[in-house]
Amino acid sequence: MQLRYQFRVYPTPGQQIKLARAFGCARVVFNDGLGLRQQAHEQGLPYVSDAELSRQIITQAKKTEARAWLGEVSAVVLQQALADLNTAYRNFFASVTGKRKGRKVAPPRFRSRKDNRQAIRFTKNSRFKVLDNGRLRLPKIGDLDVRWSRSLPSDPSSVAIIRDAAGRYFASFVVQSTDEALPPVESEVGIDLGLTHFAVLSDGAKVAAPKFLRRAARKLKRLQQALSRKQRGSQNRKKAIVKVARAHARVADTRRDWQHKLSTTIIRENQAVYVEDLCVTGLGRTRLAKSVHDAGWAGFTSMLEYKAARYGRTFGRVDRFFPSTRMCSDCARINDKMALNVRSWDCPCGSHHDRDVNAAKNVKAAGQADFNDRGAQVRPGLVPAPRGEAVTHPDAAYSTRSVEGSPSFRAERMSKVGGA
C-alpha cells in the first residue's frame, strides 16, 4: 500500500526564493501546455501528444529568450507539471466517456500565482536524498530542515514540496508500506454519523461533536473584520490574509488530528466497521451546510477505509437510501418519516428506541448482510407466531373459502364443472 508521510520543513530565506522560482516555473509550464492544447482544439488540429507537448513547452522553450529562465530549476519539476496536466486531461476524458464513475470531472484550468496552494514534485530521477543529518537535499534548492515526527517505513519514491495559504512549507513523501494486520477481535460495530453527536456506535457509545469551527468562530470573525478594513493591494492586507489563513489552518489541523485518533481507536477495537454512505455534497447545500462541513464526515470515513485495509479489518458502506432511522432494529418494521427533533420513538412491537442508536444497529446489520460471509440478515429471523394470530395446522381440513391455486379451490371448481 502506498502512503503519504507529511512533515513540516523550514527553508531559509534564500531557499524560499528558490522554491518560489520553482513554483512559478512549474505553473508557467502547466499553463503553456494547457494553452497549446486549447489552441489546437479551437483550430481543429489533432490532440497534442504528451511527447510533443514536452518537446515544445520545455525542450524548445528553454532555447528561447522568453523562457530561458526555465533552466534555473530542476527539469524533473517541469516534467511533473506536464504529467499533472496529462493526468487532468485523462480524468476529464474518462469522465466524459463514462469510464470514470462518480461526479463529473471538469477540464483542467489555468493555474494562478495567487492560488492558496503551491506545490512541486520531485521523483527519483531528480536524485533527491534524505541525508544522515536529517536534512532533505533537493536539486537546485539545497538542504531543507525537516522536523521529523516519525521515521519513514521505506525509501520514498517521490516527494512534493507544498506551500499552503498560511505560508507554511511541507514535504510530502510517497512510500510503500506493508500491511500490518492487527490481532483479530470478535466485536463489530455500526456507526451512525450526526451533528449533535459526531458518531453513535451500535453498542450504545456516543461521541460528542467537537465543533472546532464553531469554537473558533469568535476569533475568525474578529480576524475577518480586520481583513475587511484593510486597503486592497496593501501590505497590511496581505498580512491580514495570512492571519486568517493561519486561524483556519489551526482549525483544520485540530480536526484532522482528532479524527485520526478516533478512527484509529475504532479500527483497533473492532474487526468490522460499517458506516452509512452519506451524500455530503447534497447536505452541504442545505441550511445545515456550515455544521456539515465542520463535522468532516467524508474525511473521517476515508480514514476508516484506508486504515481498515492497512490493518486487516473489514470496512463497508451501507446504501444511503437504506431506512436505518425509521426501521425498528427488533422487528424490522419501517415507520413513517420522523422530524429531526424526534430523538426517541416507540415501535408498535413494544420496543423503545433511541433514534441514533437504533440507526447504528440497523447499519451494522445491513453491513453484515452485505459484506460478511457468515450470512447475517438485515431483518430478524423467524419467530413463533402469537397465539391469537390465524395459523394453518397440518391436520386441519381445507376450507371451501380458499384462494385461487389451493387444492380446495381446484376440487370445488372441478366438481362444478362435472355437475354442469
Side-chain angles (χ1 to χ4, degrees):
M1 176 184 293
Q2 282 190 341
L3 298 176
R4 280 194 175 272
Y5 281 63
Q6 184 168 292
F7 305 93
R8 184 82 178 268
V9 296
Y10 293 88
T12 63
Q15 292 172 345
Q16 292 182 14
I17 296 176
K18 295 179 181 179
L19 286 174
R21 185 182 298 116
F23 292 146
C25 291
R27 182 177 62 251
V28 168
V29 168
F30 183 93
N31 293 341
D32 289 347
L34 178 57
L36 183 61
R37 279 181 171 165
Q38 288 184 353
Q39 183 180 1
H41 177 70
E42 294 173 356
Q43 296 177 0
L45 300 177
Y47 179 78
V48 183
S49 64
D50 299 350
E52 180 64 20
L53 194 67
S54 176
R55 187 181 66 85
Q56 295 187 27
I57 300 302
I58 298 179
T59 306
Q60 293 183 355
K62 287 182 179 180
K63 300 177 182 179
T64 63
E65 184 178 357
R67 292 288 188 267
W69 38 264
L70 291 177
E72 298 177 2
V73 301
S74 174
V76 175
V77 172
L78 308 181
Q79 292 291 346
Q80 291 302 309
L82 284 186
D84 293 340
L85 176 63
N86 299 332
T87 302
Y89 264 108
R90 291 190 181 94
N91 292 338
F92 169 65
F93 292 146
S95 178
V96 171
T97 57
K99 296 181 181 179
R100 181 187 177 96
K101 305 302 180 182
R103 299 178 61 187
K104 295 298 181 180
V105 177
R109 64 170 183 85
F110 289 99
R111 293 180 177 178
S112 172
R113 63 182 180 87
K114 297 182 180 180
D115 289 342
N116 293 331
R117 184 179 182 273
Q118 303 284 345
I120 53 176
R121 186 167 60 252
F122 296 87
T123 60
K124 284 187 175 180
N125 295 334
S126 64
R127 298 184 180 181
F128 71 90
K129 185 178 181 181
V130 179
L131 304 179
D132 296 336
N133 57 5
R135 290 181 175 270
L136 174 63
R137 176 166 294 176
L138 299 177
K140 295 189 177 182
I141 292 179
D143 300 344
L144 298 180
D145 182 17
V146 184
R147 299 300 171 88
W148 300 97
S149 58
R150 50 184 174 172
S151 59
L152 297 176
S154 61
D155 293 335
S157 60
S158 66
V159 58
I161 305 300
I162 305 168
R163 184 183 186 276
D164 63 1
R168 303 178 301 176
Y169 292 86
F170 297 92
S172 179
F173 297 91
V174 176
V175 297
Q176 189 70 29
S177 176
T178 57
D179 296 341
E180 305 171 1
L182 294 174
V185 293
E186 295 294 333
S187 61
E188 298 183 359
V189 68
I191 303 178
D192 178 69
L193 300 175
L195 297 178
T196 304
H197 293 91
F198 176 79
V200 178
L201 309 185
S202 55
D203 57 4
K206 296 184 178 181
V207 181
K211 300 180 180 180
F212 297 105
L213 183 62
R214 298 285 184 179
R215 285 158 48 182
R218 178 176 298 180
K219 182 177 180 180
L220 288 171
K221 179 181 178 181
R222 177 176 55 82
L223 293 175
Q224 194 66 44
Q225 288 177 343
L227 172 61
S228 64
R229 298 189 186 100
K230 300 297 185 293
Q231 184 178 359
R232 291 186 177 275
S234 62
Q235 292 297 324
N236 287 335
R237 181 176 177 84
K238 294 180 181 180
K239 296 177 183 179
I241 291 176
V242 173
K243 289 183 180 180
V244 173
R246 287 178 179 175
H248 280 286
R250 188 176 296 109
V251 172
D253 292 343
T254 308
R255 182 191 298 113
R256 190 182 305 109
D257 178 72
W258 181 82
Q259 290 181 349
H260 270 295
K261 293 177 180 178
L262 177 61
S263 59
T264 301
T265 302
I266 293 176
I267 290 296
R268 289 185 180 275
E269 296 179 353
N270 299 277
Q271 185 65 30
V273 179
Y274 307 106
V275 298
E276 194 172 5
D277 186 17
L278 298 174
C279 182
V280 180
T281 305
L283 294 173
R285 300 192 186 103
T286 63
R287 60 185 179 87
L288 300 174
K290 188 173 183 178
S291 299
V292 169
H293 293 306
D294 188 16
W297 295 330
F300 177 71
T301 54
S302 64
M303 291 178 187
L304 289 175
E305 186 172 7
Y306 90 81
K307 290 180 181 180
R310 182 182 181 185
Y311 296 115
R313 302 304 199 201
T314 301
F315 176 83
R317 296 179 185 268
V318 178
D319 185 15
R320 67 184 58 172
F321 299 105
F322 177 70
S324 59
T325 302
R326 298 185 291 121
M327 177 184 289
C328 176
S329 58
D330 293 333
C331 67
R333 174 191 176 94
I334 300 179
N335 298 279
D336 297 333
K337 291 185 177 181
M338 294 178 289
L340 290 176
N341 59 354
V342 179
R343 308 314 304 173
S344 61
W345 53 280
D346 297 322
C347 182
C349 70
S351 301
H352 178 76
H353 295 294
D354 180 277
R355 178 193 183 106
D356 299 330
V357 176
N358 175 72
K361 292 180 179 179
N362 289 328
V363 168
K364 175 184 176 181
Q368 290 175 336
D370 292 340
F371 303 99
N372 228 332
D373 297 333
R374 294 183 296 174
Q377 297 179 350
V378 178
R379 298 177 183 275
L382 299 177
V383 295
R387 182 175 296 275
E389 184 178 339
V391 296
T392 302
H393 297 281
D395 55 349
Y398 286 109
S399 172
T400 56
R401 300 172 62 183
S402 302
V403 296
E404 185 174 356
S406 63
S408 59
F409 181 85
R410 290 196 298 269
E412 181 180 358
R413 183 175 181 182
M414 291 300 295
S415 63
K416 291 183 178 179
V417 173

